[in-house]
Amino acid sequence: MDKFLALTEEKRTTILNAALQCFGKFGYEKASINDIAVAAHISKASVFQYFGSKKHLYIYLLEYCKKIIEGIFDKEALDSQTDLFDRIMTSSKIEMESFKTQPFILQFISSVWEETSPDVLDSLVILTEETCKFRNDMILREDDALKFKNPEDAGPVFQMLLLMAEGYAARYRGADTFDFDTVMDDFQKNIAILRKNFYKEEYLK
Amino acid sequence: MDKFLALTEEKRTTILNAALQCFGKFGYEKASINDIAVAAHISKASVFQYFGSKKHLYIYLLEYCKKIIEGIFDKEALDSQTDLFDRIMTSSKIEMESFKTQPFILQFISSVWEETSPDVLDSLVILTEETCKFRNDMILREDDALKFKNPEDAGPVFQMLLLMAEGYAARYRGADTFDFDTVMDDFQKNIAILRKNFYKEEYLK
DNA sequence: CAACCTCTTGACCGATTCGGTTATTAGTGC
DNA sequence: GCACTAATAACCGAATCGGTCAAGAGGTTG
């Protein structure tokens, strides 16, 4: 793998993106090294030169994604003491911004949750653990509900927002092009509308 | 294919579900006839006995799904002159009920939209056309907005509900078990909350 | 120019799997 | 026991699988 690290960053990300895309799309067993090599515009032999084996490459990707998520997580933890809607918005924004440069990480991560191949089953925990941590961080807090006209609506609304985020992810999964700014704009408008209708008057700054 | 129609209905649906699941999960090229045969608990030779070739099986599935969607569509068109939220709810309910017996149709249909194999590319239109028709039917109407405290919120709220539905679909895609009633309950509660907060007082019956 | 080194890859390996065929079996009615 | 049918085990050539290796290509030293 030191062979791989010696490459230029551009070449590395091209290869990683190709691998993330193929594994994300086909799953571990159905994705072939040849698929990845073609997508990365290199030879199949080079993939083995860099990573040794298919399994090693997959595990490398798991750890690679883990590091990226850790990076997001830290930044997000900094500004976590705000309003519920602001919190959701900023964390989504950070998440989206990070994935802007790494467009295939999202579908790879979600594919990991469906992976069943015994070859890599033991290794999946590397990523699943990390993604759980990420989700738990932006959980609903107690005093969030107080701002709602009907405090009991806070939980469902939060769930609806998570659901919508999943909907966005599903809608653009596998699409080649993806206008992040437009989607975030859309999401922001939706959040504003929800806030306006659910919050007590006094919390509508 | 007359050979296939001669089977018992139970066996037929077992085979179709296996095929829908495999094609839906792996896509046309990566799904092998062997995968399908194993999932259907029959021999590979039987699959060819029934459908002739891989391509014929795939096209049969496209037409099979088209018929099912047509069935839903007709029923849904009958009671289309109600309140926006009721309309979304009942159409979702009908859709869900139909898919309760055919658990793999949903992921198959969404996989068709991502299919790129030249072998079947021409045939995809069989289904894509039909699913478009289905979506267009439950579109927002003009007088729906009048019931909203802020009429301009109607469009976004409708979009949010579509997004949430996609989120539900994504969340349970590929899951073996899926408690439809719980999900529909959840969805219904969310709709009730939205209506309560977005509608003018006079329309809250 | 020759000798050397690094990186990339075309060609190749045995094994497996592919879509598809066929010959044999197992089951059923008479 | 016999004929007919439906299912499959065994098989086909071709392709692809994960993985290896030796032959270049390109650059750096003498």
Side-chain angles (χ1 to χ4, degrees):
Chain A
M1 23 210 167
D2 42 349
K3 297 280 181 80
F4 177 67
L5 296 175
L7 299 173
T8 65
E9 191 181 334
E10 188 195 349
K11 200 161 187 180
R12 264 186 290 142
T13 60
T14 302
I15 294 169
L16 289 178
N17 276 338
L20 289 168
Q21 183 177 29
C22 289
F23 280 127
K25 198 166 161 189
F26 301 131
Y28 179 77
E29 293 201 326
K30 296 280 183 179
S32 77
I33 296 294
N34 197 51
D35 290 334
I36 295 167
V38 169
H41 309 293
I42 58 173
S43 73
K44 192 176 67 160
S46 289
V47 179
F48 284 99
Q49 185 74 7
Y50 300 148
F51 299 101
S53 74
K54 187 180 182 180
K55 185 173 174 178
H56 282 126
L57 167 56
Y58 193 80
I59 292 177
Y60 183 88
L61 291 177
L62 290 174
E63 283 165 350
Y64 172 71
C65 288
K66 176 182 172 173
K67 275 177 199 156
I68 287 185
I69 293 178
E70 277 174 351
I72 296 172
F73 184 73
D74 284 348
K75 269 188 273 176
E76 199 267 342
L78 294 177
D79 44 76
S80 56
Q81 55 274 21
T82 56
D83 176 79
L84 170 63
F85 288 107
D86 291 337
R87 207 183 310 139
I88 290 170
M89 192 61 214
T90 53
S91 94
S92 299
K93 223 179 241 166
I94 290 170
E95 200 173 341
M96 282 287 179
E97 283 295 323
S98 306
F99 293 152
K100 200 185 269 192
T101 54
Q102 317 271 355
F104 301 111
I105 274 191
L106 250 165
Q107 69 173 312
F108 177 77
I109 291 173
S110 68
S111 81
V112 167
W113 285 94
E114 296 167 23
E115 191 55 63
T116 57
S117 166
D119 283 12
V120 293
L121 207 61
D122 301 337
S123 311
L124 299 180
V125 66
I126 294 172
L127 232 189
T128 51
E129 204 178 68
E130 197 63 27
T131 55
C132 273
K133 222 199 290 176
F134 184 74
R135 301 214 166 169
N136 286 344
D137 180 74
M138 57 176 250
I139 209 160
L140 189 67
R141 317 210 170 153
E142 296 92 20
D143 52 349
D144 287 330
L146 300 176
K147 300 181 178 175
F148 280 69
K149 277 186 282 197
N150 306 301
E152 69 275 18
D153 290 347
V157 167
F158 180 66
Q159 290 302 321
M160 282 190 255
L161 281 165
L162 288 185
L163 217 43
M164 285 168 56
E166 285 181 63
Y168 278 118
R171 187 176 289 182
Y172 296 103
R173 168 196 299 209
D176 325 321
T177 58
F178 179 23
D179 187 346
F180 285 84
D181 299 325
T182 306
V183 171
M184 283 315 293
D185 246 40
D186 198 42
F187 193 50
Q188 182 144 34
K189 277 177 194 159
N190 288 344
I191 284 182
I193 288 171
L194 289 173
R195 174 194 259 137
K196 190 179 65 186
N197 283 276
F198 279 97
Y199 266 17
K200 293 173 186 164
E201 297 289 337
E202 63 223 70
Y203 290 107
L204 299 175
K205 46 187 172 186
Chain B
M1 26 210 166
D2 43 350
K3 297 279 182 79
F4 177 67
L5 296 174
L7 299 172
T8 65
E9 191 181 334
E10 188 196 350
K11 201 161 188 182
R12 264 186 291 141
T13 59
T14 302
I15 294 168
L16 289 178
N17 275 338
L20 289 169
Q21 182 177 30
C22 289
F23 280 126
K25 199 166 160 188
F26 302 129
Y28 179 75
E29 293 201 327
K30 294 282 183 178
S32 77
I33 297 293
N34 197 52
D35 290 335
I36 295 168
V38 168
H41 308 294
I42 60 173
S43 74
K44 192 177 66 159
S46 289
V47 178
F48 284 99
Q49 184 75 8
Y50 300 147
F51 298 100
S53 74
K54 187 181 181 179
K55 184 174 175 177
H56 282 126
L57 167 56
Y58 193 81
I59 292 177
Y60 183 89
L61 291 177
L62 290 174
E63 282 165 349
Y64 172 72
C65 288
K66 176 183 173 173
K67 275 178 199 155
I68 287 185
I69 292 178
E70 278 174 351
I72 296 172
F73 184 72
D74 284 348
K75 265 188 276 175
E76 199 265 343
L78 294 177
D79 45 74
S80 57
Q81 55 275 22
T82 56
D83 176 81
L84 169 64
F85 287 107
D86 291 338
R87 205 182 313 137
I88 289 169
M89 193 62 213
T90 54
S91 94
S92 299
K93 225 179 234 165
I94 291 170
E95 198 175 342
M96 281 287 180
E97 284 295 324
S98 307
F99 294 150
K100 200 186 266 192
T101 54
Q102 317 273 358
F104 302 110
I105 274 191
L106 251 165
Q107 68 174 313
F108 177 77
I109 291 172
S110 68
S111 82
V112 168
W113 286 92
E114 297 168 25
E115 191 55 63
T116 57
S117 167
D119 283 11
V120 293
L121 206 62
D122 301 337
S123 311
L124 299 179
V125 66
I126 295 172
L127 233 189
T128 50
E129 204 177 67
E130 197 62 28
T131 53
C132 274
K133 222 199 294 176
F134 183 75
R135 301 212 168 171
N136 286 344
D137 179 74
M138 56 176 252
I139 210 159
L140 188 68
R141 318 210 170 151
E142 297 92 21
D143 52 349
D144 288 330
L146 299 176
K147 300 181 177 175
F148 280 67
K149 276 186 283 196
N150 306 301
E152 70 274 18
D153 289 348
V157 168
F158 180 66
Q159 290 303 321
M160 281 191 255
L161 280 165
L162 289 185
L163 216 43
M164 283 168 58
E166 285 181 62
Y168 278 118
R171 187 177 289 183
Y172 296 104
R173 167 197 298 213
D176 324 322
T177 58
F178 178 26
D179 188 345
F180 286 83
D181 299 325
T182 306
V183 171
M184 282 315 292
D185 246 42
D186 197 40
F187 193 50
Q188 183 144 34
K189 277 178 195 160
N190 289 343
I191 283 182
I193 288 172
L194 289 173
R195 174 193 259 139
K196 192 179 62 186
N197 282 275
F198 278 96
Y199 267 16
K200 293 173 185 163
E201 296 289 337
E202 62 225 70
Y203 290 107
L204 299 175
K205 47 186 173 186

